[in-house]
Amino acid sequence: MSFDLELATAVTLADCDSAIARYEAAGYENHNTALVEIKRRKNSLLPISRLHRELLHHVFHLALPDRQFGSSHPPPSFLYYKALSAIRKVSHSWDNETRSASSFWTFISIALPRPFRDLIWERSGDAPLDVDTSRSSYMYGVEGYIDHWNETEWAYLERVAKRGIRQLFLTVPPAENPDPYIVGCSHPWMTSLSIEAERYYAIHTVSNPLQTPQLANLNLDGCNVPWDHLHNLRSLSLCRTDGPNLAQLVRILRSSPQLETLSLDYVKPPSEDLSSETIGGTLINLPQLSTVNIRDVPFSLVSGLVDGMLPLNTYCTFSINIFTGEDIDLSGFFRQVGRLCIPPVGEVLQPQLSMGWGELGLRTTSYRSVCIRKRNWNYQENSSTLSWRAQLARAFFEPGRRVLSEAPISRAVVWVDCAEAKTEGLAIMHEFFPKAKTVESQDLNEEVMDEWA
């Protein structure tokens, strides 16, 4: 039978298998044109080859590494394209599909070789890009990172600034300014923006409001932006920023009802914004919130924030770890945080109470906690019949007393550094967690204190 006739009659998988067997029995090699065409015909008859093109592309994207930048560094671009190469090798048709679809060629990084970056420019067409500017080892100076972008980086940044951008991860050297790439042009498709100062001491400032109407994820580390124009965010992560103040932060949260992640680390508003403020209006309702992480933020900012938040009804990771030297009554603050840390009915409780030198740590579940470090706490306790920390612990657990007292608990733990704290801590745990099978005390050591911190 001629090859053309063989190919024309191969209309089922069984026909293709029979034809392949005959060619192989006749000694044809795998790269023989006729045998390759028969195998391609077989692949075209497989169920997955009959999937709608959009569905097939969706399957491919699920098999590839996640390209979502989020609040951390982007995934390595070479791992993404290595996985894409593996998909392309499966079959001729899959190779054609991935080569011709621009959506598979939008992840570009300065770390990739220039010829491969040029290939990405070509194959991505007009699709918005996912841009990574993380510096590679060849960009290091003799003593570490150099303070300026080099010529290769300048050319790369200028080229991506002229394209549509979906996600941007921008690391900024100390002597550079991110403004030309953020403020100087509009980014109508941008959904994720991350700007990080390359060195810890450097703080950069974007001068004008972001022109990013679809921005959902914002991560800033050592970079300030105009705070009054942010809205509809799903993720907000701030580290080493000079703002926002309380009014600005509340405004951002109220206008971002779909917010899922809030992270504030070493956020320091200007000194004139540190005084306590009363934020009127409706309470902040964030039903999708799944992660709250607040660390080393001025007490007035944290206190005002928790005062304005509705209770968290979702299974939310909630952590506050701050230091305050202010001589203020913390009982109201602990009641408000305790209200936010009440776990949903059915959630497994893992109550813990830590009373160490100058600090108080409280936890209802493994991921709902607050830790406050306060100067001169131990001195105040010596002059009080009931320690300040014990009063604050009761204020924290009181809003959830009904839920906490009715939930079966296998183990409650008190971490203490003295006998008086042990007595007080055990009494608190027995009062609020009467159904706990065991309530035990353990010595507070540096390892446990580091875990709380």
Side-chain angles (χ1 to χ4, degrees):
M1 183 184 298
S2 69
F3 165 69
D4 291 338
L5 182 58
E6 187 101 57
L7 187 62
T9 56
V11 296
T12 67
L13 291 175
D15 294 338
C16 293
D17 288 335
S18 297
I20 291 171
R22 286 194 294 272
Y23 277 102
E24 291 177 344
Y28 285 83
E29 297 180 353
N30 286 333
H31 61 269
N32 176 269
T33 302
L35 185 55
V36 168
E37 288 299 324
I38 290 292
K39 288 183 176 180
R40 287 178 179 172
R41 170 61 63 85
K42 178 183 177 180
N43 288 337
S44 69
L45 296 173
L46 292 173
I48 195 168
S49 298
R50 298 197 297 270
L51 289 177
H52 191 278
R53 192 166 185 244
E54 291 184 2
L55 182 57
L56 183 62
H57 286 189
H58 182 65
V59 172
F60 290 163
H61 282 298
L62 291 176
L64 294 168
D66 188 2
R67 286 183 292 171
Q68 295 300 317
F69 290 3
S71 59
S72 60
H73 285 72
S77 53
F78 75 91
L79 289 180
Y80 171 82
Y81 285 107
K82 182 179 180 180
L84 182 62
S85 177
I87 291 176
R88 294 175 59 196
K89 291 177 181 178
V90 170
S91 71
H92 181 71
S93 62
W94 283 19
D95 181 41
N96 285 336
E97 283 292 339
T98 53
R99 273 193 303 166
S100 60
S102 60
S103 62
F104 296 107
W105 300 92
T106 58
F107 189 7
I108 191 164
S109 169
I110 187 67
L112 294 170
R114 180 168 180 173
F116 194 75
R117 294 204 304 268
D118 290 339
L119 180 66
I120 293 174
W121 293 119
E122 176 187 342
R123 292 188 175 175
S124 60
D126 296 326
L129 298 175
D130 302 321
V131 180
D132 178 15
T133 70
S134 302
R135 299 181 121 192
S136 302
S137 58
Y138 76 88
M139 299 170 186
Y140 294 174
V142 176
E143 298 179 354
Y145 284 114
I146 56 178
D147 289 346
H148 294 270
W149 283 312
N150 59 29
E151 291 184 5
T152 299
E153 292 172 295
W154 275 111
Y156 174 74
L157 290 169
E158 290 177 356
R159 193 171 186 181
V160 299
K162 297 175 182 177
R163 280 285 303 269
I165 299 176
R166 188 176 72 100
Q167 298 184 103
L168 174 62
F169 183 87
L170 183 65
T171 54
V172 186
E176 295 292 356
N177 179 11
D179 259 10
Y181 309 102
I182 304 301
V183 177
C185 46
S186 175
H187 300 284
W189 300 285
M190 185 178 290
T191 61
S192 178
L193 173 63
S194 179
I195 309 177
E196 293 192 1
E198 197 171 74
R199 294 194 184 177
Y200 186 79
Y201 63 80
I203 301 293
H204 301 278
T205 298
V206 173
S207 57
N208 293 310
L210 303 177
Q211 301 179 52
T212 52
Q214 296 192 47
L215 187 66
N217 305 300
L218 178 62
N219 171 47
L220 302 174
D221 186 346
C223 182
N224 300 308
V225 300
W227 306 109
D228 292 326
H229 301 272
L230 299 175
H231 61 279
N232 290 332
L233 297 177
R234 287 184 174 271
S235 173
L236 177 63
S237 178
L238 305 178
C239 179
R240 299 185 301 116
T241 62
D242 299 330
N245 60 31
L246 178 58
Q248 291 167 332
L249 179 59
V250 170
R251 192 179 303 116
I252 293 170
L253 299 183
R254 282 178 177 162
S255 62
S256 302
Q258 302 302 313
L259 192 76
E260 299 172 2
T261 300
L262 174 64
S263 178
L264 307 175
D265 188 358
Y266 205 72
V267 173
K268 304 294 182 183
S271 57
E272 62 268 21
D273 293 328
L274 293 179
S275 59
S276 297
E277 298 182 58
T278 300
I279 303 299
T282 58
L283 292 175
I284 304 168
N285 184 19
L286 302 172
Q288 305 301 320
L289 196 63
S290 61
T291 301
V292 178
N293 185 24
I294 301 175
R295 180 184 176 92
D296 292 332
V297 173
F299 176 78
S300 58
L301 182 64
V302 182
S303 178
L305 177 61
V306 299
D307 280 348
M309 292 183 67
L310 284 172
L312 305 173
N313 296 320
T314 59
Y315 287 82
C316 177
T317 298
F318 187 93
S319 174
I320 295 179
N321 190 321
I322 60 174
F323 172 83
T324 177
E326 303 172 43
D327 187 18
I328 55 179
D329 182 9
L330 295 174
S331 56
F333 171 74
F334 272 86
R335 278 193 295 271
Q336 292 288 51
V337 176
R339 176 179 59 87
L340 296 177
C341 287
I342 299 174
V345 176
E347 188 169 351
V348 177
L349 301 187
Q350 297 181 2
Q352 293 188 31
L353 166 59
S354 170
M355 293 195 290
W357 182 266
E359 62 89 23
L360 172 63
L362 298 156
R363 180 171 288 158
T364 54
T365 72
S366 61
Y367 48 86
R368 293 196 180 207
S369 66
V370 59
C371 181
I372 300 289
R373 291 154 285 146
K374 191 175 190 303
R375 190 181 300 121
N376 297 330
W377 240 344
N378 288 73
Y379 172 78
Q380 294 173 354
E381 290 174 354
N382 292 336
S383 61
S384 174
T385 305
L386 183 62
S387 76
W388 290 101
R389 290 179 298 179
Q391 293 183 40
L392 297 177
R394 285 189 163 86
F396 174 82
F397 288 125
E398 183 62 40
R401 179 187 287 271
R402 182 182 61 81
V403 174
L404 303 178
S405 62
E406 296 177 357
I409 302 168
S410 59
R411 179 171 174 259
V413 182
V414 177
W415 301 93
V416 294
D417 59 359
C418 63
E420 292 80 3
K422 175 180 178 180
T423 301
E424 293 172 346
L426 291 175
I428 292 171
M429 287 304 201
H430 283 297
E431 176 184 349
F432 287 95
F433 303 97
K435 293 188 177 182
K437 293 182 179 179
T438 60
V439 178
E440 59 186 67
S441 66
Q442 298 188 21
D443 292 335
L444 188 63
N445 53 44
E446 290 187 5
E447 181 178 349
V448 175
M449 293 180 69
D450 289 342
E451 178 186 345
W452 280 95

